[in-house]
Amino acid sequence: MFMSISSRFAVGIHILSLIEFNKDGVSSSEYLAGSVNTNPALIRRILGMLKKAGLIEVRPGIAGSKLARSLSDITLLDVYKAVDVVQDNELFSVHDNPNPKCIVGKNIQDTIIPILSTAQLALEKVLGNVTIEDVVKDIVEKEERHS
Amino acid sequence: MFMSISSRFAVGIHILSLIEFNKDGVSSSEYLAGSVNTNPALIRRILGMLKKAGLIEVRPGIAGSKLARSLSDITLLDVYKAVDVVQDNELFSVHDNPNPKCIVGKNIQDTIIPILSTAQLALEKVLGNVTIEDVVKDIVEKEERHS
DNA sequence: TTACATGTAATCAATATAGTTACAAGTTTG
DNA sequence: CAAACTTGTAACTATATTGATTACATGTAA
């Protein structure tokens, strides 16, 4: 019915959390793919994005990824920006070329773009207030509750 | 680079504002399309959604649409929901079938879905606080400033 | 040098968007 | 009534993104 924000974001969170849980082991792309349940190449693409954003350390030929920052210093907003799911100020698309001869057509973009931007920023602010540490702690809690 | 929220939303806002500005005239789909700068059939599809949501009144065969509520009683959230750009709780997609044998795979969905939902609701709250009346007033202001 | 891992390009099926054509059904007017 | 016009929709197209997958070059280590 509509196209939502790419699951690369959710997968990115999954990957970072799992690297933490497996910090004493080797988190190869194949290992991570096994938990996410997808293809190692897809995982490597996302790892590349996380690396480029400075969230993890990976090196060609060397198996495994490590977090490049402390858990509490990686927010979901960092991940969201890293995996390129949404561009700044472009979550909403606005029709272009409205008729400039019409008062509405002439002004609609300038009127709604700041509003849509505010909405997007509100969303991003929520993501900025949650860290991977919070996610990891919640997973631990849920796991304890189920056992 | 990525797929953003459909411009149906922006077009819906445009349409409702224009119906207001043209309240003494006849806002046919052709007239509205001229301002949005697109096809009348596309406009009629969106008008159908706005009608179904109770935001406007249109009748087969009779030219023109009218607002079904007062300006200050139509929020951008109403429009956003009317034109079906995003489903409840599904702005973000989450990968399915993560591996249940892994502590992260087993719990990741339950952990992040509420967070993503909170972010989506924060966005929607902003939209709920802006009415078509605000948009219309802002257009009038901008127009006066430019003349 | 063999085995294995990462990095990345290329391809594919499925699906959403925006635009468009076409036409049935309803309404008004001449 | 008939002509002209409008809405309501279905169907189709081109374009673009997603997620998955294959393939392979490059890098590392036993």
Side-chain angles (χ1 to χ4, degrees), chain A residues 80-96:
Chain A
Y80 164 94
K81 290 197 179 282
V83 299
D84 245 10
V85 283
V86 173
Q87 304 304 106
D88 279 355
N89 209 5
E90 291 185 16
L91 173 56
F92 295 92
S93 50
V94 175
H95 55 299
D96 35 37

Side-chain angles (χ1 to χ4, degrees), chain B residues 3 6-8 38-39 41-42 44-45 60-62 85:
Chain B
M3 183 145 293
S6 170
S7 66
R8 277 201 306 277
T38 184
N39 198 291
L42 186 68
R44 288 201 292 275
R45 234 183 351 232
I62 303 178
V85 283

Side-chain angles (χ1 to χ4, degrees), chain B residues 100-120:
Chain B
K101 293 177 189 161
C102 165
I103 180 174
V104 176
K106 180 176 167 188
N107 296 289
I108 190 73
Q109 292 178 327
D110 287 348
T111 293
I112 67 176
I113 287 174
I115 299 167
L116 301 179
S117 177
T118 301
Q120 179 174 348

Side-chain angles (χ1 to χ4, degrees), chain A:
Chain A
M1 188 74 134
F2 81 103
M3 182 144 296
S4 50
I5 292 173
S6 169
S7 67
R8 276 202 306 278
F9 178 36
V11 172
I13 299 170
H14 187 143
I15 288 173
L16 294 172
S17 302
L18 184 51
I19 290 174
E20 169 65 17
F21 274 98
N22 189 43
K23 62 185 165 192
D24 297 328
V26 175
S27 297
S28 66
S29 63
E30 195 177 343
Y31 170 79
L32 296 170
S35 173
V36 173
N37 195 19
T38 182
N39 197 288
L42 185 67
I43 296 293
R44 288 201 292 277
R45 236 189 345 239
I46 298 176
L47 287 173
M49 292 173 159
L50 297 174
K51 176 187 183 181
K52 191 176 165 195
L55 304 184
I56 62 169
E57 287 166 2
V58 209
R59 280 153 57 191
I62 304 178
S65 300
K66 295 288 181 184
L67 297 182
R69 301 193 204 158
S70 75
L71 272 188
S72 59
D73 194 37
I74 302 177
T75 69
L76 298 199
L77 182 60
D78 293 325
V79 183
Y80 164 94
K81 290 197 179 282
V83 299
D84 245 10
V85 283
V86 173
Q87 304 304 106
D88 279 355
N89 209 5
E90 291 185 16
L91 173 56
F92 295 92
S93 50
V94 175
H95 55 299
D96 35 37
N97 305 325
N99 189 342
K101 292 178 190 163
C102 167
I103 180 173
V104 176
K106 181 176 167 188
N107 297 289
I108 191 74
Q109 294 178 325
D110 288 347
T111 292
I112 67 177
I113 287 175
I115 298 167
L116 302 179
S117 177
T118 301
Q120 179 174 347
L121 289 171
L123 173 146
E124 293 175 356
K125 188 177 174 190
V126 171
L127 301 180
N129 286 331
V130 180
T131 67
I132 295 293
E133 183 176 36
D134 297 327
V135 171
V136 166
K137 282 184 176 169
D138 192 68
I139 290 173
V140 169
E141 251 184 59
K142 284 190 161 47
E143 185 64 18
E144 285 170 351
R145 203 174 308 149
H146 290 310
S147 58

Side-chain angles (χ1 to χ4, degrees), chain B:
Chain B
M1 188 75 133
F2 81 104
M3 183 145 293
S4 49
I5 292 174
S6 170
S7 66
R8 277 201 306 277
F9 178 36
V11 172
I13 299 170
H14 186 143
I15 288 173
L16 294 172
S17 302
L18 184 50
I19 291 174
E20 169 63 17
F21 274 97
N22 189 43
K23 62 185 163 191
D24 298 327
V26 176
S27 296
S28 65
S29 63
E30 194 177 343
Y31 170 79
L32 296 171
S35 173
V36 173
N37 195 19
T38 184
N39 198 291
L42 186 68
I43 296 293
R44 288 201 292 275
R45 234 183 351 232
I46 297 176
L47 285 172
M49 292 172 159
L50 297 174
K51 177 186 182 180
K52 191 176 165 194
L55 303 184
I56 61 170
E57 288 165 0
V58 209
R59 279 152 59 192
I62 303 178
S65 300
K66 295 288 180 185
L67 297 182
R69 301 193 203 157
S70 75
L71 274 188
S72 59
D73 195 37
I74 303 177
T75 69
L76 298 198
L77 182 59
D78 293 325
V79 184
Y80 165 95
K81 291 198 179 284
V83 298
D84 246 11
V85 283
V86 173
Q87 304 303 107
D88 279 355
N89 210 6
E90 291 186 15
L91 173 57
F92 294 92
S93 49
V94 176
H95 54 299
D96 35 37
N97 304 325
N99 189 342
K101 293 177 189 161
C102 165
I103 180 174
V104 176
K106 180 176 167 188
N107 296 289
I108 190 73
Q109 292 178 327
D110 287 348
T111 293
I112 67 176
I113 287 174
I115 299 167
L116 301 179
S117 177
T118 301
Q120 179 174 348
L121 289 171
L123 174 147
E124 293 175 355
K125 187 177 174 192
V126 171
L127 300 181
N129 286 331
V130 180
T131 67
I132 295 294
E133 182 176 36
D134 297 327
V135 171
V136 166
K137 282 184 176 170
D138 192 68
I139 290 173
V140 169
E141 251 184 59
K142 283 188 162 47
E143 185 64 18
E144 286 169 352
R145 203 173 308 148
H146 290 311
S147 55

